[in-house]
Amino acid sequence: MFTQIDHIGIAVEDLEASIASYTALGFCPSGTEEVAEQKVRVALFPCGESRVELLESTDPEGPIGKFIAKRGPGIHHVAFRVEDIDATLAALKTSGARLIDEEPRLGAGGMRIAFVHPAATGGLLMEVCEPA
Ligand code: CO
């Protein structure tokens, strides 16, 4: 069901400053994108088959805005790639896992994504994603 860690999502306060920091560390940005549905601006840095996903809130009431207000910047979620997100969500529902998203929604890069509640994962906000 899970094929690899697709990306690690990191909440940041200032996307441009964070892009500069990661670039200085030796990462190469592969572009930025606004995901209106999630009220974020996103920058991706490839790392082998995985990526670092920097997330800057565009709205204090959005999920990243609330996260930073409560906990400050840092790791927000880990995303696991799946081949069939509909089948994955159906299997997770059957297993009784608590889901934040019962149905997939649209993420960065046109991926179909859904979040699993940290109560189901020992405290990790888990994203499952199916590449476009
Ligand atoms: Co993500």
Side-chain angles (χ1 to χ4, degrees):
M1 180 154 90
F2 299 104
T3 57
Q4 69 168 74
I5 292 180
D6 186 87
H7 62 269
I8 298 173
I10 301 174
V12 302
E13 288 179 320
D14 181 333
L15 192 62
E16 272 61 43
S18 299
I19 289 171
S21 296
Y22 274 76
T23 302
L25 288 169
F27 289 92
C28 297
S30 69
T32 61
E33 179 184 348
E34 181 156 350
V35 183
E37 191 182 318
Q38 294 187 65
K39 301 183 167 66
V40 288
R41 286 174 63 228
V42 177
L44 289 164
F45 295 82
C47 177
E49 295 288 305
S50 301
R51 293 169 294 170
V52 174
E53 178 185 75
L54 302 182
L55 301 154
E56 177 196 68
S57 179
T58 57
D59 182 340
E61 292 305 310
I64 296 299
K66 286 181 180 169
F67 177 87
I68 286 185
K70 196 170 163 190
R71 301 203 200 178
I75 292 179
H76 176 259
H77 65 270
V78 177
F80 296 82
R81 190 180 295 179
V82 298
E83 286 174 1
D84 182 340
I85 195 170
D86 300 298
T88 299
L89 289 176
L92 290 171
K93 271 182 227 175
T94 300
S95 76
R98 187 166 156 196
L99 303 178
I100 293 174
D101 299 308
E102 299 268 328
E103 301 294 332
R105 50 199 171 105
L106 204 58
M111 285 197 301
R112 297 172 71 215
I113 69 168
F115 285 97
V116 180
H117 196 278
T121 61
L124 170 73
L125 177 58
M126 175 190 282
E127 176 185 330
V128 292
C129 62
E130 178 190 308

